[in-house]
Amino acid sequence: MIRLHMSAERLAGLRWAVSPVGELAAALVTVAEARTAAHPVLRRLRVLLDSGHLPTLAAVTRGYTAYLPELLTPAPCTFLPPVEEQLHAVASTPTNTVNEQFTAFLTGGAARRDRCPWLGEHELQQADARVRGRIERNEHDLRERLAGELHWLWQRTMAARWDAVTAGFEGFVERQGTLAAREGLGGALAGLHSSLCWDEGSLRIDSPLDGEVSGHHPFTLVPSLFLPRIGLHAPLHRGGAQLVVPVNASPDTKPVMAPVLGATRLAILRSLAEPRTTTALAARHHLTAATVSFHLSRLLAADLVRREREGRYVYYRRTARARALLDTAPRPAP
């Protein structure tokens, strides 16, 4: 059992965020742990790892036991960071940090235990010699190679379906907020997965491993379509600790056209392919600013748009849920 001590400071900093690169890492871990892959993305991933185009990621997947270098799961700084931002975080990881993480990954032992104190002797063994040779051969540009291979993999497995995936994640997170308001935060956390239990100020994870995560640094809750179990990414790292939660948010599930979308609101959503102000939307649709504000307030309540202030101006942009919804909406007649 692994116990996460949930101090008041940790609970106050608890938040949800989606991680595009983290989802790729979750898929790699699942492929490493499972003999068969039921999801089509995971089957595709297996083929790509054997294709020769991903030599470094293939080596990491083959060498994975219970510790994944933290640079492969960059902390999401916002609720829905762009994949480019996270890939840049991978490519710009300080060299000494990369060396420390891959020393732990390749050699195991005390270096790995320092990062995951609850690991047993079996999880502390060094990586296979072939894995070490593949990664150590060009260690000087390791972070850039990882970022490049992750980008190549993203384009061929996730890019086309990411809007639909994140729309499912947003709906899941919204339901968790409602549940927390009704049942309390402890009950909502325990209800995230059958392996979780709230016990006297701690969140317990049912696991064959034994340990605890103390301290007051906050955790980010990250939903995952591919990881079938609870995952801990960089749990001891202030600013990077993540609790990965499996969710059923199939990218093949089509959202239903909501009653909130009349013709005017649908037109406003379509015109938000780029961020616009209320004034710009009013001029574009020949409406008063007050009318546009009314429609935007309804779209905000439905989590179909977000607003962001830039200096003196407030811009509205579509959410991932809105983009997925528009994919199913009939196009207007020319």
Side-chain angles (χ1 to χ4, degrees):
M1 178 188 69
I2 299 177
R3 182 185 293 268
L4 274 66
H5 296 279
M6 304 300 283
S7 65
E9 183 178 346
R10 177 166 286 169
L11 285 172
L14 201 64
R15 66 183 180 93
W16 284 96
V18 175
S19 177
V21 171
E23 190 67 343
L24 283 179
L28 291 170
V29 167
T30 302
V31 165
E33 293 181 340
R35 294 182 180 178
T36 60
H39 197 285
V41 169
L42 298 180
R43 291 197 296 270
R44 171 72 170 155
L45 179 55
R46 282 190 187 278
V47 172
L48 294 175
L49 287 172
D50 291 335
S51 69
H53 292 288
L54 302 167
T56 312
L57 287 179
V60 169
T61 304
R62 293 189 185 102
Y64 173 81
T65 51
Y67 166 72
L68 191 71
E70 291 90 338
L71 84 163
L72 293 174
T73 56
C77 298
T78 58
F79 175 72
L80 191 59
V83 66
E84 295 81 8
E85 175 184 296
Q86 291 203 306
L87 290 172
H88 175 72
V90 175
S92 58
T93 304
T95 304
N96 63 322
T97 301
V98 176
N99 291 337
E100 290 173 3
Q101 293 178 13
F102 272 88
T103 295
F105 179 78
L106 294 171
T107 64
R112 193 179 299 170
R113 174 166 281 158
D114 286 344
R115 310 187 86 84
C116 300
W118 46 81
L119 295 182
E121 292 301 321
H122 178 72
E123 291 82 21
L124 296 175
Q125 297 178 10
Q126 68 177 2
D128 181 271
R130 289 172 297 177
V131 172
R132 297 199 308 274
R134 173 69 69 179
I135 293 176
E136 292 172 347
R137 192 158 47 225
N138 293 301
E139 196 174 58
H140 67 281
D141 64 344
L142 181 56
R143 60 184 186 177
E144 290 86 358
R145 284 189 289 124
L146 285 168
E149 290 184 22
L150 286 167
H151 182 258
W152 190 91
L153 184 62
W154 172 267
Q155 293 295 327
R156 287 156 181 80
T157 58
M158 290 299 298
R161 64 181 69 208
W162 188 239
D163 281 351
V165 172
T166 52
F169 286 163
E170 287 180 329
F172 174 81
V173 170
E174 183 179 287
R175 292 192 295 275
Q176 294 308 310
T178 301
L179 183 62
R182 292 177 178 175
E183 306 292 336
L185 189 53
L189 290 172
L192 289 172
H193 193 260
S194 59
S195 66
L196 296 176
C197 177
W198 183 260
D199 179 31
E200 297 181 353
S202 294
L203 188 64
R204 295 186 305 172
I205 305 173
D206 187 18
S207 168
L209 304 175
D210 187 29
E212 62 181 42
V213 181
S214 56
H216 304 287
H217 59 281
F219 268 75
T220 299
L221 302 171
V222 180
S224 175
L225 176 64
F226 299 123
L227 196 66
R229 57 169 176 79
I230 292 293
L232 283 173
H233 291 168
L236 305 181
H237 181 236
R238 177 175 290 275
Q242 302 165 51
L243 183 72
V244 184
V245 179
V247 303
N248 183 18
S250 172
D252 301 316
T253 301
K254 297 296 185 182
V256 178
M257 183 62 69
V260 71
L261 286 183
T264 301
R265 291 172 195 166
L266 183 58
I268 289 174
L269 267 187
R270 289 196 189 283
S271 66
L272 287 176
E274 60 185 65
R276 300 183 191 276
T277 64
T278 301
T279 302
L281 288 169
R284 186 179 183 87
H285 295 283
H286 307 290
L287 299 169
T288 66
T291 300
V292 171
S293 293
F294 171 77
H295 289 303
L296 288 172
S297 68
R298 296 300 184 267
L299 294 170
L300 276 166
D303 196 27
L304 294 174
V305 300
R306 298 192 189 285
R307 58 186 171 197
E308 299 175 359
R309 179 174 291 278
E310 296 183 14
R312 297 166 48 205
Y313 300 98
V314 175
Y315 288 86
Y316 291 84
R317 64 180 71 238
R318 294 192 302 227
T319 63
R321 174 179 291 182
R323 293 191 292 273
L325 193 64
L326 289 175
D327 286 342
T328 67
R331 300 295 303 181

